[in-house]
Amino acid sequence: MVSAPHEAMHRVFQEYPELFSRVSEVLGVAFPPFVSADVVTTDLTESRPVERRVDTLLRIETEDNGPFLLAVEAQGKKDPDKPTSWAYYVSYLLEKYRLPTTLLVVCQDRATAAWAARPVPLGSPHWPVLTLRPLVAGPHNIPAVTDVAEARKDLALATLSAITHAGEPDVGAILKTLSAALRGAPDEIAAPIVELTAQGLGNRPAAQQWRNLVAVDLSFYISPLSEEIRDEGRAEGEARGRAEDILLVFDERGIDVPDGIRSRITGCRDLEVLRRWLRRATTANSAEEILDGDRPA
């Protein structure tokens, strides 16, 4: 199953094809200036029943050197079978489109990036017919964008910085910078960046930090992620309110609530359970009685 970080690592180039121009500069490879870029179908399936798909494929027009194809692959871990698949992709694309083809591999950890960057000779060890040499972008060479002015000038690169540094110690500073750079940005600009960043962080600890930043710094912004955060906030507030109601009923009835049960009531976020406890609290002879039949979460 394709993960959210995997999607974000290559989709950012679909949203911002011009990002490759900056990435190639960072990687020290000179490509001619871009004129335009179009997303191309990623389906590399042959007539035989073997399906092959590159993650993102762009046809990029340059000012003076004509078009070329950019295949972007997101790689989350080492995979000994991948180099042969990449070689197939490049060969197939050269044959189908008759255009120069570049392979960019995007990684989120240094070990995978180092593995992906190794030249891989293909063919007989005595006489390799091809050598696969992808460009590799990852936390080892994509800069940590921690200056708000720089982030505002290049939001796409700042987004890729957050995605590729998702597991790095500096990701917190990058996320704070990105959220600050997005303040006041129009929704059509902020929308893909907020969502791609959330995807790219996956279930890493930094994902919660990004959610908090979106909730506070970008509280004006409306998106699936921000709406989800607001819904969670509303549910959290309602749960706290019901827990307080239960404790108030016990207080009005003069019933003592032991610390353990009090913590369980205030820590519960299941609204249906809290509703059930509130009904029981109106007739229970002790705080323990409302918990009958409900195991701790």
Side-chain angles (χ1 to χ4, degrees):
M1 183 176 179
V2 175
S3 66
H6 179 280
E7 286 291 291
M9 280 192 282
H10 69 86
R11 271 196 53 232
V12 66
F13 290 91
Q14 290 185 25
E15 297 287 344
Y16 309 101
E18 71 280 2
L19 173 61
F20 179 67
S21 181
R22 273 95 76 192
V23 170
S24 65
E25 290 176 11
V26 169
L27 303 183
V29 182
F31 280 83
F34 294 4
V35 173
S36 64
D38 298 310
V39 176
V40 182
T41 177
T42 60
D43 190 350
L44 308 183
T45 307
E46 297 182 34
S47 57
R48 56 185 174 142
V50 177
E51 184 176 302
R52 302 177 190 268
R53 292 180 183 272
V54 67
D55 287 334
T56 283
L57 183 61
L58 301 171
R59 176 191 167 107
I60 295 176
E61 295 286 345
T62 65
E63 287 183 2
D64 302 314
N65 292 73
F68 72 94
L69 294 179
L70 173 65
V72 185
E73 282 281 289
Q75 193 64 29
K77 61 182 180 180
K78 299 177 184 178
D79 181 352
D81 295 328
K82 207 64 180 180
T84 53
S85 295
W86 291 338
Y88 172 87
Y89 297 164
V90 173
S91 299
Y92 178 90
L93 292 169
L94 286 168
E95 172 65 22
K96 180 175 181 178
Y97 294 99
R98 302 289 175 164
L99 290 174
T101 301
T102 295
L103 172 65
L104 173 67
V105 180
V106 184
C107 305
Q108 289 182 299
D109 70 89
R110 295 169 186 268
T112 301
W115 164 82
R118 296 174 307 157
V120 180
L122 301 169
S124 167
H126 305 291
W127 192 269
V129 293
L130 296 171
T131 298
L132 181 74
R133 293 183 63 231
L135 283 172
V136 177
H140 64 297
N141 56 11
I142 295 300
V145 180
T146 55
D147 181 89
V148 176
E150 288 183 13
R152 283 202 180 106
K153 284 192 292 186
D154 199 339
L155 287 169
L157 185 60
T159 304
L160 184 64
S161 177
I163 292 171
T164 54
H165 288 252
E168 296 286 303
D170 55 7
V171 68
I174 297 170
L175 294 177
K176 288 180 182 177
T177 300
L178 182 56
S179 67
L182 287 174
R183 288 177 199 153
D187 284 357
E188 61 270 18
I189 291 176
I193 291 174
V194 169
E195 302 303 328
L196 277 169
T197 303
Q199 274 191 325
L201 296 172
N203 58 4
R204 289 177 171 83
Q208 187 56 52
Q209 181 179 1
W210 182 241
R211 295 171 73 86
N212 294 341
L213 288 167
V214 171
V216 177
D217 289 354
L218 306 175
S219 58
F220 64 89
Y221 173 65
I222 298 174
S223 74
L225 176 65
S226 61
E227 285 301 290
E228 181 183 333
I229 292 170
R230 291 186 185 102
D231 288 343
E232 289 176 358
R234 285 190 285 268
E236 178 90 5
E238 188 174 350
R240 284 198 299 267
R242 287 190 182 174
E244 290 171 1
D245 289 343
I246 294 169
L247 296 176
L248 180 61
V249 168
F250 280 135
D251 185 57
E252 289 293 323
R253 297 184 63 213
I255 295 177
D256 180 62
V257 182
D259 290 343
I261 295 177
R262 181 180 297 271
S263 296
R264 199 168 150 198
I265 292 171
T266 57
C268 181
R269 292 297 176 263
D270 188 321
L271 294 175
E272 185 55 42
V273 170
L274 289 166
R275 187 182 295 111
R276 184 161 62 246
W277 289 352
L278 181 58
R279 287 198 300 268
R280 293 175 184 172
T282 61
T283 58
N285 295 316
S286 68
E288 290 84 351
E289 281 187 26
I290 72 164
L291 307 180
D292 287 350
D294 292 311
R295 295 182 179 180

mmCIF file of all heavy atoms in Angstrom, residues 60-79:
data_model
loop_
_atom_site.group_PDB
_atom_site.id
_atom_site.type_symbol
_atom_site.label_atom_id
_atom_site.label_comp_id
_atom_site.label_asym_id
_atom_site.label_seq_id
_atom_site.Cartn_x
_atom_site.Cartn_y
_atom_site.Cartn_z
ATOM 1 N N ILE A 60 9.206 18.269 -19.701
ATOM 2 C CA ILE A 60 9.638 19.631 -19.409
ATOM 3 C C ILE A 60 10.234 20.266 -20.672
ATOM 4 O O ILE A 60 11.114 19.676 -21.321
ATOM 5 C CB ILE A 60 10.677 19.641 -18.269
ATOM 6 C CG1 ILE A 60 10.000 19.148 -16.972
ATOM 7 C CG2 ILE A 60 11.280 21.020 -18.081
ATOM 8 C CD1 ILE A 60 10.935 19.016 -15.792
ATOM 9 N N GLU A 61 9.725 21.432 -21.001
ATOM 10 C CA GLU A 61 10.240 22.206 -22.131
ATOM 11 C C GLU A 61 11.304 23.168 -21.626
ATOM 12 O O GLU A 61 11.130 23.815 -20.584
ATOM 13 C CB GLU A 61 9.111 22.995 -22.799
ATOM 14 C CG GLU A 61 8.033 22.139 -23.449
ATOM 15 C CD GLU A 61 8.491 21.504 -24.751
ATOM 16 O OE1 GLU A 61 9.524 21.948 -25.298
ATOM 17 O OE2 GLU A 61 7.815 20.558 -25.214
ATOM 18 N N THR A 62 12.412 23.270 -22.337
ATOM 19 C CA THR A 62 13.479 24.183 -21.954
ATOM 20 C C THR A 62 13.592 25.310 -22.974
ATOM 21 O O THR A 62 13.010 25.242 -24.057
ATOM 22 C CB THR A 62 14.827 23.442 -21.858
ATOM 23 O OG1 THR A 62 15.189 22.973 -23.156
ATOM 24 C CG2 THR A 62 14.729 22.266 -20.903
ATOM 25 N N GLU A 63 14.340 26.330 -22.626
ATOM 26 C CA GLU A 63 14.444 27.505 -23.498
ATOM 27 C C GLU A 63 15.178 27.217 -24.803
ATOM 28 O O GLU A 63 14.744 27.610 -25.879
ATOM 29 C CB GLU A 63 15.155 28.638 -22.743
ATOM 30 C CG GLU A 63 14.306 29.281 -21.664
ATOM 31 C CD GLU A 63 15.013 30.447 -21.000
ATOM 32 O OE1 GLU A 63 16.155 30.766 -21.424
ATOM 33 O OE2 GLU A 63 14.448 31.035 -20.064
ATOM 34 N N ASP A 64 16.304 26.508 -24.705
ATOM 35 C CA ASP A 64 17.160 26.349 -25.888
ATOM 36 C C ASP A 64 17.463 24.902 -26.261
ATOM 37 O O ASP A 64 17.949 24.645 -27.358
ATOM 38 C CB ASP A 64 18.493 27.081 -25.677
ATOM 39 C CG ASP A 64 18.277 28.562 -25.387
ATOM 40 O OD1 ASP A 64 17.479 29.186 -26.108
ATOM 41 O OD2 ASP A 64 18.892 29.064 -24.432
ATOM 42 N N ASN A 65 17.195 23.955 -25.346
ATOM 43 C CA ASN A 65 17.640 22.587 -25.588
ATOM 44 C C ASN A 65 16.495 21.602 -25.845
ATOM 45 O O ASN A 65 16.694 20.395 -25.759
ATOM 46 C CB ASN A 65 18.469 22.091 -24.393
ATOM 47 C CG ASN A 65 19.788 22.823 -24.280
ATOM 48 O OD1 ASN A 65 19.809 23.996 -23.897
ATOM 49 N ND2 ASN A 65 20.878 22.160 -24.618
ATOM 50 N N GLY A 66 15.319 22.099 -26.103
ATOM 51 C CA GLY A 66 14.214 21.203 -26.385
ATOM 52 C C GLY A 66 13.679 20.534 -25.131
ATOM 53 O O GLY A 66 14.113 20.820 -24.015
ATOM 54 N N PRO A 67 12.731 19.601 -25.277
ATOM 55 C CA PRO A 67 12.100 18.961 -24.120
ATOM 56 C C PRO A 67 12.918 17.791 -23.575
ATOM 57 O O PRO A 67 13.773 17.228 -24.263
ATOM 58 C CB PRO A 67 10.776 18.466 -24.695
ATOM 59 C CG PRO A 67 11.090 18.169 -26.130
ATOM 60 C CD PRO A 67 12.099 19.197 -26.552
ATOM 61 N N PHE A 68 12.645 17.454 -22.326
ATOM 62 C CA PHE A 68 13.155 16.203 -21.767
ATOM 63 C C PHE A 68 12.120 15.670 -20.779
ATOM 64 O O PHE A 68 11.200 16.384 -20.361
ATOM 65 C CB PHE A 68 14.524 16.388 -21.100
ATOM 66 C CG PHE A 68 14.507 17.138 -19.788
ATOM 67 C CD1 PHE A 68 14.434 16.473 -18.576
ATOM 68 C CD2 PHE A 68 14.600 18.535 -19.766
ATOM 69 C CE1 PHE A 68 14.442 17.165 -17.374
ATOM 70 C CE2 PHE A 68 14.611 19.243 -18.573
ATOM 71 C CZ PHE A 68 14.526 18.548 -17.365
ATOM 72 N N LEU A 69 12.236 14.394 -20.430
ATOM 73 C CA LEU A 69 11.327 13.766 -19.477
ATOM 74 C C LEU A 69 11.993 13.696 -18.107
ATOM 75 O O LEU A 69 13.196 13.406 -18.002
ATOM 76 C CB LEU A 69 10.954 12.353 -19.922
ATOM 77 C CG LEU A 69 10.123 12.216 -21.197
ATOM 78 C CD1 LEU A 69 9.876 10.743 -21.490
ATOM 79 C CD2 LEU A 69 8.797 12.962 -21.081
ATOM 80 N N LEU A 70 11.204 13.970 -17.077
ATOM 81 C CA LEU A 70 11.674 13.827 -15.698
ATOM 82 C C LEU A 70 10.808 12.782 -15.011
ATOM 83 O O LEU A 70 9.602 12.988 -14.835
ATOM 84 C CB LEU A 70 11.590 15.158 -14.947
ATOM 85 C CG LEU A 70 11.908 15.072 -13.445
ATOM 86 C CD1 LEU A 70 13.364 14.660 -13.228
ATOM 87 C CD2 LEU A 70 11.610 16.397 -12.751
ATOM 88 N N ALA A 71 11.401 11.654 -14.654
ATOM 89 C CA ALA A 71 10.715 10.615 -13.880
ATOM 90 C C ALA A 71 11.108 10.778 -12.418
ATOM 91 O O ALA A 71 12.300 10.775 -12.086
ATOM 92 C CB ALA A 71 11.108 9.232 -14.391
ATOM 93 N N VAL A 72 10.123 10.955 -11.542
ATOM 94 C CA VAL A 72 10.378 11.141 -10.119
ATOM 95 C C VAL A 72 9.903 9.908 -9.366
ATOM 96 O O VAL A 72 8.741 9.511 -9.486
ATOM 97 C CB VAL A 72 9.672 12.396 -9.568
ATOM 98 C CG1 VAL A 72 10.058 12.615 -8.099
ATOM 99 C CG2 VAL A 72 10.025 13.628 -10.396
ATOM 100 N N GLU A 73 10.795 9.306 -8.616
ATOM 101 C CA GLU A 73 10.478 8.133 -7.813
ATOM 102 C C GLU A 73 10.679 8.453 -6.333
ATOM 103 O O GLU A 73 11.722 8.993 -5.946
ATOM 104 C CB GLU A 73 11.382 6.961 -8.195
ATOM 105 C CG GLU A 73 10.979 6.251 -9.472
ATOM 106 C CD GLU A 73 9.816 5.309 -9.235
ATOM 107 O OE1 GLU A 73 9.998 4.258 -8.589
ATOM 108 O OE2 GLU A 73 8.702 5.628 -9.698
ATOM 109 N N ALA A 74 9.684 8.153 -5.501
ATOM 110 C CA ALA A 74 9.806 8.297 -4.057
ATOM 111 C C ALA A 74 10.253 6.962 -3.479
ATOM 112 O O ALA A 74 9.636 5.928 -3.747
ATOM 113 C CB ALA A 74 8.466 8.711 -3.453
ATOM 114 N N GLN A 75 11.339 6.974 -2.711
ATOM 115 C CA GLN A 75 11.887 5.727 -2.191
ATOM 116 C C GLN A 75 11.998 5.791 -0.682
ATOM 117 O O GLN A 75 12.746 6.586 -0.132
ATOM 118 C CB GLN A 75 13.267 5.451 -2.816
ATOM 119 C CG GLN A 75 13.785 4.047 -2.598
ATOM 120 C CD GLN A 75 12.906 2.992 -3.261
ATOM 121 O OE1 GLN A 75 12.258 3.256 -4.275
ATOM 122 N NE2 GLN A 75 12.874 1.809 -2.688
ATOM 123 N N GLY A 76 11.218 4.946 0.002
ATOM 124 C CA GLY A 76 11.186 4.989 1.460
ATOM 125 C C GLY A 76 12.204 4.092 2.133
ATOM 126 O O GLY A 76 12.522 4.286 3.308
ATOM 127 N N LYS A 77 12.712 3.082 1.414
ATOM 128 C CA LYS A 77 13.694 2.172 2.010
ATOM 129 C C LYS A 77 14.505 1.504 0.904
ATOM 130 O O LYS A 77 14.146 1.582 -0.277
ATOM 131 C CB LYS A 77 12.994 1.112 2.853
ATOM 132 C CG LYS A 77 12.041 0.235 2.067
ATOM 133 C CD LYS A 77 11.335 -0.765 2.969
ATOM 134 C CE LYS A 77 10.369 -1.645 2.160
ATOM 135 N NZ LYS A 77 9.676 -2.615 3.033
ATOM 136 N N LYS A 78 15.573 0.843 1.294
ATOM 137 C CA LYS A 78 16.386 0.131 0.325
ATOM 138 C C LYS A 78 15.585 -1.027 -0.270
ATOM 139 O O LYS A 78 14.853 -1.725 0.441
ATOM 140 C CB LYS A 78 17.655 -0.414 0.981
ATOM 141 C CG LYS A 78 18.561 0.655 1.568
ATOM 142 C CD LYS A 78 19.752 0.019 2.267
ATOM 143 C CE LYS A 78 20.616 1.064 2.954
ATOM 144 N NZ LYS A 78 21.756 0.465 3.679
ATOM 145 N N ASP A 79 15.715 -1.213 -1.568
ATOM 146 C CA ASP A 79 15.004 -2.285 -2.263
ATOM 147 C C ASP A 79 15.924 -2.806 -3.365
ATOM 148 O O ASP A 79 16.129 -2.139 -4.372
ATOM 149 C CB ASP A 79 13.699 -1.760 -2.852
ATOM 150 C CG ASP A 79 12.897 -2.834 -3.574
ATOM 151 O OD1 ASP A 79 13.414 -3.948 -3.759
ATOM 152 O OD2 ASP A 79 11.744 -2.550 -3.958
#
